[in-house]
Amino acid sequence: MRRRTRPPAAPLPQRAGIDPVRVRLPADPGGAWATVRDHLLARYAAAVGPERVDAMLAEGRFVGADGTAVRAEEPYREGRLLWFHRDLAPEERVPFAVEVVHRDERIVVADKPHFLATTPRGRHVTETLVARLRHDLGLPALQPAHRLDRLTAGLVLLVVRPEDRGAYQTLFRDRLVRKEYEAVAPYDPALAVPVTVRSRIVKERGVPAAYQEPGEPNSESRVELVEREGPRGLYRLMPMTGRTHQLRVHMDALGVPILNDPLYPEVRPEEEPEDFGRPLQLLARALEFTDPVTGAELRFGSGRRLAAWR
């Protein structure tokens, strides 16, 4: 089996913690693109307009592997690599700080606030945990070992060096990380807790909410009631698996949806601007695992608290 060669390092630095885009010029058997400009127009003009593509070329925004600006009239060459920074749309600032719980030469454990996405995706690019920490800590290769929902606060494990990432991702894949969450939700005296929920969860691309369907279970969560105060309860949630929205789906299925959840039991329209005063009352409270490099037993706890609980 042919070993894949690693692409050359980007000749452009990150911008606000975001990598430049890398473009490999594809095969052109029909000879449609005589110049680099011809291809870039075919590739991007429909999205940003031909004037913007030409302006970016004139400004030297597209560069080759040596960092030299690419000229519009350069002959097209299959396989050539180009890099450029996208024009990023302005994003509403998430007005909460990221706390660093632990940092060493291999990992960073961050305490993420509500509303901050873990990784750049869709309309959340610079306002993400990864982009902030790369910039603030000066760690351009920082990557998460797992993901936490944008609306969920709490602990996220990130890996400093690319060569270590697989080892830490494997912990989550093989369910070797003990994860503990807290949630505020309605108190139901008819709900027998503690309870273990197993179900088949499906999440379709482009559809906001996941749903359950009959079939072999692919998700499992343990739900315990920690305290009760009037009509609300503080719950401890322990997912054994990591399906998208798993805890939110399971709490809704039990008849006690998590407070301020905009998707369960009912999908509500997105608010513009976002209401930062009504965070989802779900917190990734603790992470516990054996470090795959050192063998040390590690446990980390979040310093955050759920606003709806006392």
Side-chain angles (χ1 to χ4, degrees):
M1 184 174 64
R2 181 181 298 176
R3 179 176 296 179
R4 296 180 63 182
T5 58
R6 181 175 296 181
L12 295 174
Q14 289 178 347
R15 181 180 295 171
I18 303 300
D19 290 323
V21 177
R22 185 182 77 239
V23 178
R24 180 182 294 276
L25 301 186
D28 181 24
W33 307 310
T35 65
V36 172
R37 175 181 179 272
D38 292 336
H39 174 72
L40 294 177
L41 285 173
R43 191 166 188 153
Y44 296 116
V48 302
E51 297 84 3
R52 187 65 197 134
V53 175
D54 281 334
M56 291 176 68
L57 281 164
E59 294 163 7
R61 294 273 300 275
F62 294 96
V63 305
D66 61 356
T68 302
V70 175
R71 301 187 311 278
E73 68 275 12
E74 288 186 36
Y76 186 85
R77 189 175 78 247
E78 174 189 341
R80 185 181 182 185
L81 293 177
L82 309 180
W83 285 262
F84 71 98
H85 278 290
R86 290 182 291 162
D87 293 323
L88 300 175
E91 296 180 42
E92 184 178 12
R93 176 76 176 174
V94 176
F96 310 112
V98 174
E99 303 297 333
V100 175
V101 174
H102 173 85
R103 177 182 178 181
D104 60 34
E105 68 274 16
R106 292 179 303 279
I107 62 173
V108 171
V109 180
D111 204 350
K112 184 183 83 66
H114 296 284
F115 302 104
L116 190 69
T118 301
T119 55
R121 186 178 181 184
R123 61 190 180 92
H124 304 286
V125 179
T126 57
E127 278 302 290
T128 58
L129 178 70
V130 167
R132 279 198 191 182
L133 289 180
R134 283 176 174 176
H135 178 267
D136 294 348
L137 302 181
L139 297 174
L142 193 69
Q143 290 282 359
H146 64 119
R147 289 186 179 182
L148 199 61
D149 283 351
R150 186 179 73 88
L151 298 183
T152 304
L155 299 181
V156 179
L157 174 65
L158 303 103
V159 184
V160 175
R161 303 179 300 206
E163 60 267 29
D164 292 331
R165 191 182 184 197
Y168 290 94
Q169 285 182 317
T170 299
L171 292 177
F172 290 88
R173 184 198 67 191
D174 294 346
R175 305 178 188 178
L176 299 176
V177 179
R178 183 180 181 274
K179 297 177 283 185
E180 182 179 311
Y181 290 69
E182 285 181 354
V184 178
Y187 169 72
D188 181 358
L191 177 62
V193 286
V195 61
T196 297
V197 184
R198 299 180 182 89
S199 70
R200 183 169 187 81
I201 294 177
V202 177
K203 177 67 170 67
E204 298 177 5
R205 183 182 295 273
V207 179
Y211 60 91
Q212 297 182 109
E213 67 175 17
E216 182 70 21
N218 60 7
S219 64
E220 179 178 337
S221 306
R222 171 103 172 154
V223 177
E224 300 175 358
L225 179 66
V226 179
E227 288 185 73
R228 173 202 171 187
E229 189 173 86
R232 292 179 180 174
L234 178 67
Y235 295 85
R236 179 183 298 114
L237 312 177
M238 287 164 285
M240 303 299 118
T241 54
R243 310 302 298 187
T244 299
H245 296 180
Q246 175 177 316
L247 296 176
R248 298 162 68 180
V249 170
H250 282 170
M251 290 293 282
D252 181 46
L254 292 173
V256 286
I258 297 171
L259 195 65
N260 298 339
D261 196 325
L263 297 180
Y264 309 96
E266 181 182 359
V267 177
R268 299 199 298 268
E270 290 190 24
E271 296 178 326
E272 292 291 347
E274 197 153 35
D275 184 358
F276 293 119
R278 287 178 54 82
L280 174 71
Q281 293 300 283
L282 180 61
L283 172 66
R285 169 63 70 192
L287 286 176
E288 187 173 348
F289 58 91
T290 301
D291 190 288
V293 177
T294 68
E297 299 294 330
L298 301 176
R299 179 179 171 85
F300 303 103
S302 170
R304 300 184 185 276
R305 55 181 294 273
L306 293 171
W309 191 255
R310 293 204 264 278

